[in-house]
Amino acid sequence: MKLVRFGAPGAERPGVWLDDRGTPEILDVRAMAFDIADYDAHFFTHWGIDRLRGLLMEPVQKRIAADGVRLGPPVARPANLICIGKNYADHAAEFDGAPPSEPILFAKAPTAIIGPRDPIRIPAGWTEADAEAELAVVIGRAASRVEAASALAYAAGFLALNDVTERRAQREAGQWYRGKSFDTFCPLGPFLVTADDVADPQQLGVRSRLNGAPLQEGNTRDMLFPVAQLIAYISRTLTLQPGDVLATGTPSGVGFARKPPVLLQPGDEIAVEIDGLGSTCNRVERA
Ligand code: MG
């Protein structure tokens, strides 16, 4: 099942993306179940995905044509937007050398999240914005001190994420939070694909394209720490909350490591695609 949120920024409604009638449609979830307010912690905690399956069995459904409808990020603003650094050996090498011996955790501000087609807006004075194509995981139920062997049961689903990064801010600040957290620096979507529809999250192609030309090309099989290990590792420090988003790191080929560097410029279009999960595609603008 493909969960989407649609409508104006800040006023999105929960939906399900449907392709079964030839042209894409969106199930207007709130028009059928008024108490499903949004794809948030309450939704995931209260068997929300099971309830959507029930709505899809209803003989009379509220659907709208998807054409021309703005999609927001497929989940409501999470409590935590946790990221993993250098989770692919080839990216660690192009960044500054050796692969880490345990996961490197950092965060992006959840306020950076935007929809899959919204513009990335670079503030004046910053010239080193770069893209990072990543598989992201949405947590489905509270996870505290879980074992890796059972950790994937805590994932509600998977989606594409662009960990946009201002390299100068990342370099200068002595930590990564600032360079990662500019408004609009986290395109997400277009769909949250539920975990039952992702056969193996460690066998997914991950790629980015700048103005249509390939930039990154990797596969989640090359993660140093797979998704299950990451959930288990983080859950030993903090309780992951339903609706939390975890960005699992980027493969090699990022723009700033190229010679010469390829950084995002106003007018560019940057896409991040994950096999089976669709792609974000965002125009770059000056804020
Ligand atoms: Mg990243």
Side-chain angles (χ1 to χ4, degrees):
M1 198 164 30
K2 292 173 173 168
L3 279 58
V4 295
R5 291 166 71 253
F6 65 98
E12 292 93 345
R13 298 165 66 88
V16 179
W17 187 266
L18 299 168
D19 282 314
D20 58 336
R21 293 181 183 168
T23 56
E25 296 175 306
I26 298 171
L27 189 78
D28 188 350
V29 168
R30 211 188 284 160
M32 295 179 68
F34 68 92
D35 60 317
I36 301 181
D38 206 348
Y39 296 148
D40 54 12
H42 184 273
F43 170 82
F44 291 109
T45 306
H46 292 83
W47 305 281
I49 290 174
D50 291 337
R51 290 198 58 204
L52 296 183
R53 289 201 183 91
L55 296 183
L56 290 173
M57 308 283 281
E58 296 276 345
V60 178
Q61 299 178 0
K62 303 274 190 188
R63 297 183 177 210
I64 63 165
D67 197 37
V69 173
R70 174 191 173 263
L71 295 181
V75 290
R77 184 178 293 166
N80 292 303
L81 173 51
I82 298 173
C83 307
I84 307 298
K86 305 185 202 174
N87 198 26
Y88 291 78
D90 53 356
H91 174 62
E94 73 180 359
F95 195 83
D96 64 359
S101 56
E102 56 184 287
I104 296 172
L105 301 189
F106 63 96
K108 285 173 93 76
T111 43
I113 292 173
I114 57 171
R117 303 285 179 269
D118 293 342
I120 295 166
R121 309 187 78 223
I122 302 173
W126 297 99
T127 57
E128 296 188 35
D130 196 5
E132 296 186 354
E134 307 199 9
L135 171 70
V137 186
V138 173
I139 298 299
R141 56 191 173 113
S144 175
R145 308 193 70 80
V146 302
E147 298 295 331
S150 58
L152 282 184
Y154 292 80
F158 300 90
L159 69 181
L161 180 148
N162 187 347
D163 177 15
V164 181
T165 305
E166 216 298 329
R167 299 298 180 191
R168 178 164 65 87
Q170 182 184 30
R171 213 167 42 237
E172 288 179 349
Q175 36 74 27
W176 296 355
Y177 186 76
R178 187 184 186 208
K180 299 282 187 177
S181 292
F182 287 88
D183 291 346
T184 75
F185 274 27
C186 192
L188 200 60
F191 317 116
L192 169 63
V193 178
T194 51
D196 58 306
D197 280 340
V198 179
D200 183 352
Q202 304 305 148
Q203 294 291 337
L204 301 175
V206 177
R207 56 195 74 85
S208 61
R209 285 192 201 90
L210 183 60
N211 302 320
L215 203 57
Q216 294 176 271
E217 174 75 55
N219 192 290
T220 57
R221 77 170 85 90
D222 296 322
M223 283 185 190
L224 297 170
F225 305 100
V227 173
Q229 274 187 43
L230 294 174
I231 292 172
Y233 180 87
I234 298 166
S235 80
R236 293 202 289 274
T237 298
L238 58 105
T239 302
L240 285 162
Q241 305 295 318
D244 278 359
V245 176
L246 167 61
T248 60
T250 200
S252 65
V254 297
F256 94 104
R258 291 168 175 261
K259 293 181 179 45
V262 179
L263 295 159
L264 299 178
Q265 307 294 335
D268 281 347
E269 193 175 75
I270 181 73
V272 166
E273 181 186 65
I274 312 278
D275 285 346
L277 307 183
S279 60
T280 62
C281 187
N282 305 83
R283 202 168 169 75
V284 178
E285 296 178 354
R286 206 31 101 185

